[in-house]
Amino acid sequence: MLYVNPHAARAPYPGELQDIMSIARAQESRAWLAHWDGLTPGSTPLRALPDLAASLGVRSVLVKDEALRSTLGSFKALGAPIALVRLLLREHAALGLTAQSLLRGEHRDALVGVTVISATDGNHGRALAAAAQSIGCRCVIVLHAQVSEEREQAIAAYGAEIVRVEGNYDASVAAAASLATRHGWSVVSDTSYEGYEIIPRDVMQGYGTLAAEVDEALSMADAGSDDACPLTHVFLQGGVGGLAAGIVSYLWERWGVWRPTFVVVEPVQADCLYQSAIAGKVASASGSVDSVMAGLACGEASPLAWRFLQPSVDAFMTVTDAEAVEAMRRLARGSDNDVPFVAGESGVAGLAGLMQAGAAPSLAAAIGLSANARVLLINTEGATAPQGYAALVGEPAASVMQRQQAWLAR
């Protein structure tokens, strides 16, 4: 399903939003992250898939591959460390901390009494646990009933203490907030709620690193000019809206009225942003929330993220779990001209939306998806649950990676 957002505007990036998130802060986050050994040095690849583009009837499809960002296997490795660093810089300024010294673990002794906590569907908690381990903080992660044992073990491997609760993601968010209040811990969450916006802002600002790298790659390729955006469409994963807000804010500030068309894609049963667009305000999902796209299985939109998405996202889409699995398999297969990708369930939501729109002329027309379209997708995760990935795709991630390496070596 697709809903065209009547509130989306073609206007310069508003000053009140720039005060919250900006290109300058995204670039600062990017510079800080260069000092963390939890990330692979340099930018992640931005790859063209010409055969996929031809099959969808568009001019080009570019995919930013966050599966290669780090051993964490997802874009979440950009947000949690930045939020944790900014939190410690604010609350422990007397210690003479810097972002670089924190990420190098130089203040372990001074921070031994600090505990951070967060709810997660998997990737954010794993990234926070890894960052806390590097910096020297204690980390507690709250998991809801639908988070797999495989994802729990991946988080615990970074030294986090695990707390299990009944219910869905929203129940785990409430539980994390309650535990933090009771014990005097700091919540480092990627979703906002009433009275809690500073840390989610910092998480989203870390995600701006992605957009900065895309902008840099396109500029180096001389793909556009100062007043002509080299992209016509960007399809982004939904969830609570943090990733989308981080990317949209950067590209909107960068290109202003010439910004690309933004399309946000969610699971049909976890459609909180889609429902928010219809209601014209933050709303809850209409379905069960449980989805194979675990990282997007969120029932409540982030109010802070929605402040950026409502005036900028041109359309909201929902896709089925089956469509997501087919997108995973399409990227894994590759082709003569398309490099194979390891893309997890949530990582392919944007492609699933693009494939749905490409197969339906009415949907394509509604968002201006034509033969001249130049589309950006972000593969937000690799096989963060390897057993689940192999079951859905029909082969292990290691096999796909071997074919990727062979394709790149041709």
Side-chain angles (χ1 to χ4, degrees), residues 228-309:
C229 182
L231 303 168
T232 63
H233 293 75
V234 181
F235 283 71
L236 295 165
Q237 285 81 344
V240 299
L243 169 70
I247 303 301
V248 162
S249 63
Y250 190 107
L251 296 179
W252 189 4
E253 181 180 352
R254 171 71 173 88
W255 296 105
V257 297
W258 296 282
R259 66 167 180 80
T261 293
F262 296 119
V263 182
V264 166
V265 186
E266 303 172 278
V268 67
Q269 64 270 52
D271 59 347
C272 57
L273 297 175
Y274 185 96
Q275 294 300 328
S276 297
I278 293 173
K281 61 182 181 180
V282 173
S284 301
S286 62
S288 65
V289 179
D290 187 22
S291 169
V292 70
M293 292 169 270
L296 306 181
C298 308
E300 299 284 344
S302 167
L304 177 62
W306 186 246
R307 290 170 62 182
F308 292 84
L309 302 183

Side-chain angles (χ1 to χ4, degrees), residues 11-15 17-22 248-250 252-253 256 308:
Y13 188 52
L17 295 183
Q18 189 173 11
D19 288 341
I20 303 171
M21 289 205 297
S22 67
V248 162
S249 63
Y250 190 107
W252 189 4
E253 181 180 352
F308 292 84

Side-chain angles (χ1 to χ4, degrees), residues 38-331:
L39 299 180
T40 303
S43 301
T44 53
L46 181 65
R47 306 194 195 279
L49 301 181
D51 287 345
L52 176 62
S55 71
L56 295 172
V58 298
R59 179 175 173 181
S60 64
V61 173
L62 296 173
V63 183
K64 180 78 165 158
D65 192 4
E66 290 302 293
L68 304 179
R69 177 65 66 183
S70 74
T71 56
L72 298 170
S74 90
F75 79 101
K76 296 285 188 175
L78 299 172
I82 290 299
L84 180 53
V85 164
R86 291 190 187 277
L87 170 69
L88 295 173
L89 291 176
R90 284 192 301 270
E91 296 194 350
H92 301 278
L95 296 177
L97 313 174
T98 68
Q100 294 90 333
S101 62
L102 281 168
L103 290 169
R104 293 194 197 107
E106 296 176 9
H107 303 282
R108 290 181 172 278
D109 292 343
L111 299 174
V112 68
V114 175
T115 298
V116 293
I117 185 172
S118 183
T120 186
D121 280 311
N123 291 339
H124 173 74
R126 190 178 180 188
L128 180 60
Q133 186 179 68
S134 294
I135 289 171
C137 301
R138 177 179 176 226
C139 181
V140 178
I141 297 297
V142 182
L143 303 178
H144 60 85
Q146 283 76 47
V147 177
S148 70
E149 180 69 23
E150 185 178 20
R151 293 187 184 276
E152 176 181 336
Q153 292 174 358
I155 297 168
Y158 287 94
E161 299 173 35
I162 306 298
V163 175
R164 280 280 187 175
V165 298
E166 295 299 320
N168 59 20
Y169 174 74
D170 302 300
S172 66
V173 170
S178 176
L179 284 168
T181 299
R182 187 186 315 161
H183 297 290
W185 300 340
S186 296
V187 177
V188 182
S189 175
D190 56 353
T191 188
S192 68
Y193 42 86
E194 186 175 354
Y196 183 79
E197 289 193 345
I198 293 175
I199 288 176
R201 174 205 66 191
D202 295 339
V203 171
M204 294 190 299
Q205 199 68 82
Y207 299 158
T209 297
L210 276 170
E213 292 180 0
V214 169
D215 187 28
E216 181 178 80
L218 294 175
S219 297
M220 290 175 63
D222 195 25
S225 64
D226 288 341
D227 60 355
C229 182
L231 303 168
T232 63
H233 293 75
V234 181
F235 283 71
L236 295 165
Q237 285 81 344
V240 299
L243 169 70
I247 303 301
V248 162
S249 63
Y250 190 107
L251 296 179
W252 189 4
E253 181 180 352
R254 171 71 173 88
W255 296 105
V257 297
W258 296 282
R259 66 167 180 80
T261 293
F262 296 119
V263 182
V264 166
V265 186
E266 303 172 278
V268 67
Q269 64 270 52
D271 59 347
C272 57
L273 297 175
Y274 185 96
Q275 294 300 328
S276 297
I278 293 173
K281 61 182 181 180
V282 173
S284 301
S286 62
S288 65
V289 179
D290 187 22
S291 169
V292 70
M293 292 169 270
L296 306 181
C298 308
E300 299 284 344
S302 167
L304 177 62
W306 186 246
R307 290 170 62 182
F308 292 84
L309 302 183
Q310 184 177 35
S312 62
V313 174
D314 299 278
F316 293 83
M317 294 186 69
T318 60
V319 295
T320 66
D321 285 356
E323 288 174 319
V325 172
E326 175 52 35
M328 292 172 70
R329 293 172 178 169
R330 171 62 183 83
L331 286 181

